[in-house]
Amino acid sequence: MHSILAAAPAISVEGGRILGSVGAGGIATALTVVLIAGIREPKSGKAGPGGAGGGKKGRIRKKLTSDQAQWTGITAGTLYMTAGSIWTVGKNLSDAFASVFTNGGFGAAGLGAVSLILGSVLYFRELTPGKAAVTGIVAAGVWAQAGGIWGLPQALILTGAHAIGMI
């Protein structure tokens, strides 16, 4: 009786790319899908007059909480700026929001003040997941431009994504 020893093939992650070749644009797209799928209520499948009939209503398998939506929004907003192309809409939204406070209407206010405003809203208010996601996207752009301690989320997100080979 002979025994055969077969070795399993080694699993390797080429160049640290855990998810394969993704890129900032791919991650931005995927996170946008996560936000839309995780915060939008599905349309009900009404059939016939008055909604009677065999319509099947879709369900959300996992719904994002307010905190999950805001951090996913911050991550998505950071990657929107990194990806460029069509994703510059996130930066434009951040710039428009910041200009409301920095154009002189509120006195001498800089991006640090706008960062404090956004941080306060995200910390002290429990927004609906949709509003939390949009606020997170806006905050990502403002924080990245404000620099200082406000640049830490961007630095952590981009360093982490680069470390695992996503960008």
Side-chain angles (χ1 to χ4, degrees), residues 8 26 40 44 51 54 57 59 63 87 89 102 107 124 137 141-142 163:
R40 285 200 55 191
S44 62
K57 183 177 180 180
R59 296 184 325 166
K63 186 166 180 156
W87 298 112
V89 171
T102 59
F124 289 109
I137 291 168
V142 172

Side-chain angles (χ1 to χ4, degrees), residues 146-165:
I149 195 169
W150 302 108
L152 285 176
Q154 179 188 32
L156 291 173
I157 291 165
L158 293 179
T159 301
H162 184 69
I164 60 174

Side-chain angles (χ1 to χ4, degrees), residues 30-85:
L31 289 175
T32 303
V33 170
V34 167
L35 287 171
I36 292 169
I39 62 177
R40 285 200 55 191
E41 291 293 332
K43 295 179 181 178
S44 62
K46 295 181 180 176
K56 186 176 180 181
K57 183 177 180 180
R59 296 184 325 166
I60 294 179
R61 186 178 300 238
K62 301 285 182 199
K63 186 166 180 156
L64 292 173
T65 65
S66 178
D67 286 343
Q68 292 169 334
Q70 80 184 22
W71 285 107
T72 304
I74 290 168
T75 305
T78 299
L79 292 165
Y80 293 164
M81 291 181 295
T82 303
S85 191

Side-chain angles (χ1 to χ4, degrees), residues 11-23 27 160-167:
I11 297 174
S12 69
V13 178
E14 183 179 330
R17 294 186 180 277
I18 293 174
L19 298 177
S21 178
V22 180
I27 301 169
H162 184 69
I164 60 174
M166 293 177 98
I167 56 173

